[in-house]
Amino acid sequence: MKAKKIEVYGKVQSVGFRPFIYNLAKRFDLKGYIRNKTSSVEILVEGKEQSLNEFLKKIRTNPPKSVLIQKILVNDDAVKNFVSFDILESEPTAASFVYIPAEIKICDECIKELLNPHDRRYLYPFINCTQCGPRFTIIERLPYDRKNTTMKVFKMCEECLNEYEDPSNRRFHAQPNCCHRCGPGLIVKDKNLDLVFKISRSAEDVKKILDFIVEKILDGKIFAIKSYGGYHLVCDATNDEVVLRLRKNKYREFKPFAMMASSIEAIERYCVIDNSQKELLKSSQAPIVLLVKKTLEDSQISKYVADGSKYYGFMLPYTPLHFLIFEWLKRYKKDIPLIMTSANISEEPQVYKESEAFHKLRNLTDYFVFYNRKINIRCDDSVCKTVDNNIYFIRRSRGWAPEPIFVKYKFAKNILSFGADLKNTFSLAKDNHVVVSHHIGDLYNLEAINSYMQSIDHYLKTFGFSPDVIVCDLHPEYISSKIARKFAKERSLTCLEIQHHYAHMLSCMLENDLFEKCIGVVFDGTGYGLDGTIWGSEFLVGDIYGFFRKAHFENITLIGADKGIKEPYRSALAFLYEEYKNEKILENFWSTLQQNLTGSEILSFSFKDMLNAVRFLLDKKINLTETSGMGRFFDIVCVFCGFGAFNYYEGYLPQLLEFNAGFRFEEIKNKDRFYEYEVIKQENKYVVKTKLLLKKIFEDVFFKKEEVKTVAAKFHYTILKITEDVLLKIRNDLNINKVILSGGVFQNEILVSYLYESLKKLNFEVFIHRKIPCNDAGISFGQSLATESVESLK
């Protein structure tokens, strides 16, 4: 007889691991116990040595599909002569590591029961098991037991309790386990908060609610429907009138809406989908996936869903209620896509509490569908696409957060990183893992800031995390940085301020386990530079101990700070004034811009008034910012081409430019057509002459009358040729061959796809993001590694 004590770390709680071990122990006639601890699962097992070896082999090679084992520690133990193998109560312990599971899409087994009229959970909208259902959003504290979740108020009926206590049942210790009799139910109210349907307690009740929802959606009504991490606004995506009404009520004039469809086949009617995208759509995380539209003039989908974008954002049903709504639409012979967008006023966080929903959404919606189980923390949908057949995150949230990212790096201290102000996330780094928070969003308003601070507090308490070091962005006016500095001061902690683009570079390095010197190509919109200007077209050289700026694009003048970013026609006019000093040229530009943007608020300014304002600000040097932000160059080129003049949301104009470039890019690339450019060497670094490039583009549009889609494509191709050229120069100077690509501009698929392949052909080792977004949502992850660049913390 031998005895082993086994500690298993990773995603091993709430995913059917304990019943798997229980049945495995029975199979090999082993005795002992298994129990959850705060940081791991502990197994004490004894029996014949050969059986123990086979037992361990099966754990390592054949765990349940939702299990993710990070490490296994095995030690000999004293034989205690157990008479059985048991599953013990969880044991709270000091947390050396904590793994909180994320939400999991409804599984196939639960779907079968959901649609089986003879099953006791027929049409039950909260059906779940160890392989699916809510997790993170219902957990109040650890360990993950029912009494520590928002399910604690629902006492299981006898049948559910028997399942819960039976190790051979797939609902053994499924913490949200419940049924029509003992679990949450659906409630429906109208916009006046009058009760339409009281709480559902049977399949018949749910049928009536589903009939009502589907009939009203087909009649053009908007619903606020409670999901796992918050409310969605839901309506018919094929109805122009209702989509426009939703845009108006939500104050979301241009940003595309996400949609949900019943199946891959339904999505294929509207989008081009490859196998990697199908797998991503069907994955247990069920994210929103950006898919290229089919050019179908008779498409059912309203043009107002994603006008001006080459993508539709689609996801598949991931809750039982989602699945039932689409099943009912089919019964009404209407297999149509539905808008499924976060329920909020534009720029505010997603609504997740009933009181908040009733207060904020009454003017956006006609009906509320909710349930009587509390959401403990909001968690918005994840958004991603595929690049080179691999996942490429735009937003990493539901389905992934707050599960840790394991890295081949040992953090010497506990690090809390506060991120940036746009697309905010924060991170907790400890030992060899980083927990990146769910999507917080842009810290533009009090609601978002409160959500940010509450989420940080929740993570610290839930993970039992005590930070030793605080890290924030270098920008002196970032809200996140001000909060970080205050947080550190109150706790007498060191607060490190890290340059924005270096954090981008480190984020890609950390997720690729790259710690030696490399070249970071960081193309971004805005980041506070070490010289006090705004950076954003960077070629950095560095490692985890520091960096220097080896190359960048020449600065241009941004008028009006943040207003200049939202209204880049101002900077376009300023550029032309500085370069040409010719009023006729400027007036021609302004007149053309007016014609292209008929109906826009730009018409409220006369040319003379705008020119006088620009001239005054430039001459007096008032409210001017010097920037090399790549996003700002994209903005100005988009204005020159007449595609738009306002960034209605972050990245709006660069996306329009990419969309239009896509029509001609392959042709331009094959003909090797790019703009003449100049790279000069100044004080041991390279500077790309931005103004020369912008002048040539302007003259192509206004003097040579080049087709604007061709101009957009040539601009993209020129940026790529410049990047290759500068990287070759740096490699020749420094003999560094490893290149990372990061920053929000690399959400542009033309840029990232081309560079990833072309640089490899030039014998560079190229690293891109796969685990976190390349945009500012990845900043906090990179900030975690930046502590090594500070001598006192080495």
Side-chain angles (χ1 to χ4, degrees):
M1 293 285 288
K2 298 280 186 180
K4 299 284 185 184
K5 185 176 182 180
I6 305 165
E7 294 273 352
V8 187
Y9 294 82
K11 186 178 180 179
V12 289
Q13 297 187 23
S14 80
V15 286
F17 189 64
R18 285 180 298 170
F20 163 73
I21 294 295
Y22 175 88
N23 289 301
L24 200 60
K26 292 285 189 184
R27 175 179 163 188
F28 290 108
D29 193 27
L30 301 174
K31 313 297 189 227
Y33 66 79
I34 180 173
R35 65 180 169 190
N36 282 344
K37 300 175 78 172
T38 303
S39 301
S40 63
V41 167
E42 179 185 80
I43 306 165
L44 191 61
V45 64
E46 56 189 34
K48 293 180 180 179
E49 186 171 10
Q50 184 177 349
S51 297
L52 288 170
N53 291 338
E54 288 296 319
F55 175 77
L56 277 166
K57 183 179 178 182
K58 290 292 183 184
I59 294 174
R60 290 190 171 102
T61 61
N62 196 34
K65 64 178 180 179
S66 296
V67 167
L68 178 61
I69 294 175
Q70 190 257 329
K71 66 178 177 180
I72 300 177
L73 301 180
V74 182
N75 291 292
D76 292 331
D77 205 77
V79 174
K80 297 178 176 64
N81 295 310
F82 291 103
V83 296
S84 62
F85 190 89
D86 299 305
I87 298 174
L88 303 185
E89 286 289 315
S90 299
E91 180 190 50
T93 57
S96 61
F97 165 75
V98 176
Y99 202 122
I100 295 179
E103 275 52 41
I104 306 174
K105 181 185 77 173
I106 181 173
C107 70
D108 292 341
E109 290 297 313
C110 282
I111 288 173
K112 288 176 187 175
E113 294 175 350
L114 186 67
L115 299 181
N116 181 359
H118 304 293
D119 193 280
R120 69 188 189 89
R121 290 190 177 87
Y122 176 53
L123 303 186
Y124 184 52
F126 306 96
I127 190 170
N128 70 89
C129 68
T130 57
Q131 296 301 307
C132 67
R135 298 290 192 270
F136 168 57
T137 55
I138 63 169
I139 295 173
E140 295 180 325
R141 65 188 65 84
L142 294 177
Y144 178 45
D145 291 326
R146 190 181 180 100
K147 64 185 178 182
N148 295 330
T149 73
T150 59
M151 284 296 297
K152 64 180 181 287
V153 298
F154 300 97
K155 184 179 178 180
M156 279 182 278
C157 66
E158 186 177 352
E159 287 177 286
C160 285
L161 186 60
N162 287 338
E163 293 170 334
Y164 183 83
E165 293 179 341
D166 179 3
S168 66
N169 193 290
R170 82 172 201 281
R171 292 193 169 90
F172 174 73
H173 280 222
Q175 306 306 339
N177 190 35
C178 55
C179 68
H180 285 293
R181 287 174 57 196
C182 64
L186 294 176
I187 307 162
V188 182
K189 290 186 177 182
D190 64 19
K191 65 185 300 180
N192 298 316
L193 305 186
D194 292 328
L195 192 65
V196 179
F197 290 98
K198 64 182 182 180
I199 189 164
S200 62
R201 282 295 172 215
S202 68
E204 286 304 312
D205 290 345
V206 176
K207 278 182 184 178
K208 292 173 185 175
I209 291 172
L210 290 170
D211 281 332
F212 179 82
I213 292 171
V214 169
E215 286 172 5
K216 293 298 182 182
I217 284 175
L218 295 176
D219 193 36
K221 303 301 182 186
I222 300 170
F223 279 77
I225 299 179
K226 187 175 177 181
S227 184
Y228 284 156
Y231 280 79
H232 285 123
L233 293 172
V234 183
C235 66
D236 181 354
T238 70
N239 184 326
D240 283 353
E241 185 179 342
V242 72
V243 175
L244 284 171
R245 180 160 71 94
L246 180 59
R247 286 207 173 279
K248 179 181 177 183
N249 292 350
K250 191 173 158 69
Y251 301 108
R252 184 166 170 164
E253 190 174 358
F254 291 97
K255 197 171 185 179
F257 285 129
M259 290 181 286
M260 184 176 280
S262 63
S263 63
I264 295 287
E265 293 71 28
I267 297 173
E268 283 183 308
R269 296 173 201 154
Y270 313 106
C271 302
V272 178
I273 314 179
D274 64 26
N275 288 333
S276 63
Q277 291 164 336
K278 288 178 184 179
E279 290 304 309
L280 193 51
L281 284 162
K282 293 189 295 183
S283 69
S284 63
Q285 292 88 0
I288 298 166
V289 182
L290 301 185
L291 304 165
V292 175
K293 298 175 182 175
K294 283 184 176 176
T295 53
L296 298 177
E297 292 185 9
D298 59 346
S299 172
Q300 279 184 290
I301 295 174
S302 168
K303 69 176 183 179
Y304 304 111
V305 169
D307 198 19
S309 174
K310 70 176 182 179
Y311 300 111
Y312 282 135
F314 265 111
M315 58 183 157
L316 292 176
Y318 59 85
T319 74
L321 181 57
H322 292 152
F323 192 87
L324 287 171
I325 289 171
F326 281 96
E327 186 67 21
W328 240 248
L329 279 167
K330 289 178 187 175
R331 296 184 185 192
Y332 278 70
K333 310 296 184 189
K334 292 287 184 179
D335 189 9
I336 57 172
L338 299 179
I339 284 178
M340 192 74 58
T341 187
S342 298
N344 58 355
I345 302 294
S346 189
E347 308 299 347
E348 290 188 3
Q350 183 182 24
V351 168
Y352 73 108
K353 295 179 179 177
E354 276 63 74
S355 57
E356 192 180 25
F358 297 154
H359 172 66
K360 291 191 172 184
L361 303 180
R362 287 175 66 178
N363 292 328
L364 281 75
T365 189
D366 300 302
Y367 297 97
F368 295 91
V369 179
F370 59 103
Y371 51 84
N372 58 329
R373 181 182 68 209
K374 176 186 165 189
I375 297 173
N376 193 54
I377 187 168
R378 66 167 55 88
C379 190
D380 217 331
D381 295 314
S382 294
V383 183
C384 48
K385 57 183 175 180
T386 60
V387 172
D388 190 33
N389 294 319
N390 289 299
I391 188 169
Y392 198 71
F393 282 104
I394 306 300
R395 183 166 78 200
R396 180 185 182 272
S397 197
R398 177 192 52 77
W400 280 276
E403 294 181 357
I405 297 171
F406 294 101
V407 295
K408 291 180 180 177
Y409 183 83
K410 178 80 170 177
F411 292 98
K413 296 177 181 288
N414 291 357
I415 300 158
L416 171 59
S417 304
F418 277 69
D421 275 12
L422 294 180
K423 296 179 173 64
N424 178 272
T425 65
F426 57 88
S427 292
L428 317 179
K430 180 177 180 177
D431 296 329
N432 69 326
H433 63 273
V434 184
V435 172
V436 182
S437 76
H438 61 288
H439 169 74
I440 304 295
D442 299 343
L443 304 183
Y444 278 151
N445 51 60
L446 186 60
E447 288 83 359
I449 294 167
N450 285 338
S451 174
Y452 175 56
M453 295 172 70
Q454 289 163 8
S455 296
I456 290 173
D457 184 61
H458 175 75
Y459 273 62
L460 293 180
K461 288 178 180 176
T462 306
F463 283 91
F465 189 87
S466 180
D468 301 315
V469 183
I470 305 304
V471 190
C472 67
D473 196 276
L474 181 66
H475 200 302
E477 295 303 318
Y478 268 6
I479 296 294
S480 54
S481 298
K482 291 179 178 179
I483 293 171
R485 288 191 287 267
K486 183 173 184 287
F487 184 98
K489 185 177 180 181
E490 289 172 348
R491 293 159 179 80
S492 300
L493 297 173
T494 300
C495 183
L496 306 177
E497 299 177 358
I498 303 301
Q499 202 282 322
H500 188 87
H501 302 101
Y502 181 44
H504 269 302
M505 177 179 175
L506 288 170
S507 70
C508 194
M509 290 171 62
L510 181 58
E511 74 161 277
N512 285 287
D513 302 315
L514 177 64
F515 306 113
E516 68 263 39
K517 206 170 257 23
C518 61
I519 307 167
V521 181
V522 186
F523 289 168
D524 200 25
T526 300
Y528 191 74
L530 298 180
D531 59 1
T533 67
I534 301 301
W535 292 3
S537 53
E538 309 307 310
F539 295 80
L540 308 179
V541 174
D543 53 23
I544 62 175
Y545 300 110
F547 77 100
F548 60 92
R549 195 184 193 198
K550 184 61 179 174
H552 61 86
F553 280 63
E554 177 185 31
N555 286 346
I556 59 169
T557 303
L558 183 69
I559 288 187
D562 285 346
K563 194 172 185 67
I565 295 172
K566 293 177 181 176
E567 301 179 7
Y569 67 86
R570 297 169 181 267
S571 295
L573 188 65
F575 172 78
L576 297 177
Y577 172 75
E578 286 187 306
E579 291 300 313
Y580 291 99
K581 297 290 194 298
N582 184 315
E583 195 164 315
K584 272 193 174 182
I585 291 175
L586 271 66
E587 190 167 12
N588 177 38
F589 161 73
W590 190 261
S591 174
T592 304
L593 194 60
Q594 285 181 324
Q595 293 168 20
N596 289 333
L597 301 167
T598 301
S600 170
E601 60 264 42
I602 198 172
L603 297 175
S604 61
F605 301 105
S606 71
F607 167 68
K608 288 289 187 185
D609 287 344
M610 181 53 67
L611 180 61
N612 287 336
V614 165
R615 184 187 290 123
F616 175 78
L617 292 171
L618 288 171
D619 291 348
K620 300 295 183 183
K621 296 185 171 20
I622 297 172
N623 207 16
L624 306 181
T625 304
E626 291 297 302
T627 180
S628 62
M630 183 64 74
R632 306 293 74 84
F633 306 150
F634 272 75
D635 290 342
I636 290 175
V637 173
C638 196
V639 173
F640 285 168
C641 289
F643 298 137
F646 298 87
N647 270 316
Y648 293 103
Y649 56 87
E650 203 249 341
Y652 172 72
L653 291 182
Q655 287 178 45
L656 269 184
L657 196 65
E658 179 193 1
F659 173 66
N660 283 280
F663 291 101
R664 299 283 183 271
F665 182 76
E666 285 301 316
E667 174 191 339
I668 292 297
K669 181 185 74 171
N670 292 337
K671 293 180 179 178
D672 202 32
R673 290 184 61 195
F674 54 90
Y675 288 105
E676 179 187 343
Y677 63 86
E678 184 180 357
V679 180
I680 62 171
K681 198 165 188 179
Q682 290 181 344
E683 299 177 355
N684 205 34
K685 67 181 175 183
Y686 297 101
V687 179
V688 180
K689 302 296 285 183
T690 313
K691 294 175 183 178
L692 173 66
L693 177 59
L694 290 177
K695 278 186 73 173
K696 289 186 177 296
I697 290 168
F698 175 76
E699 290 167 4
D700 254 14
V701 174
F702 284 87
F703 299 162
K704 298 179 182 176
K705 304 301 180 185
E706 180 87 78
E707 189 212 20
V708 287
K709 288 179 180 176
T710 299
V711 171
K714 278 180 68 178
F715 170 68
H716 275 74
Y717 190 51
T718 306
I719 295 297
L720 295 166
K721 297 297 285 185
I722 292 170
T723 303
E724 291 174 348
D725 188 4
V726 173
L727 284 171
L728 288 168
K729 292 178 188 298
I730 295 173
R731 182 168 69 180
N732 186 60
D733 289 350
L734 302 174
N735 196 29
I736 298 173
N737 202 51
K738 292 180 170 64
V739 175
I740 69 98
L741 307 177
S742 190
V745 172
F746 282 114
Q747 290 175 158
N748 183 312
E749 197 166 339
I750 293 174
L751 297 188
V752 72
S753 296
Y754 176 91
L755 276 179
Y756 186 67
E757 293 303 323
S758 72
L759 292 176
K760 286 196 291 186
K761 289 176 183 175
L762 292 170
N763 295 317
F764 284 99
E765 291 183 65
V766 189
F767 303 87
I768 65 174
H769 290 279
R770 298 295 188 198
K771 299 175 184 176
I772 60 159
C774 64
N775 58 44
D776 281 9
I779 284 286
S780 66
F781 184 72
Q783 287 173 344
S784 302
L785 192 58
T787 55
E788 292 301 323
S789 66
V790 181
E791 188 68 31
S792 63
L793 293 174
K794 282 184 186 177

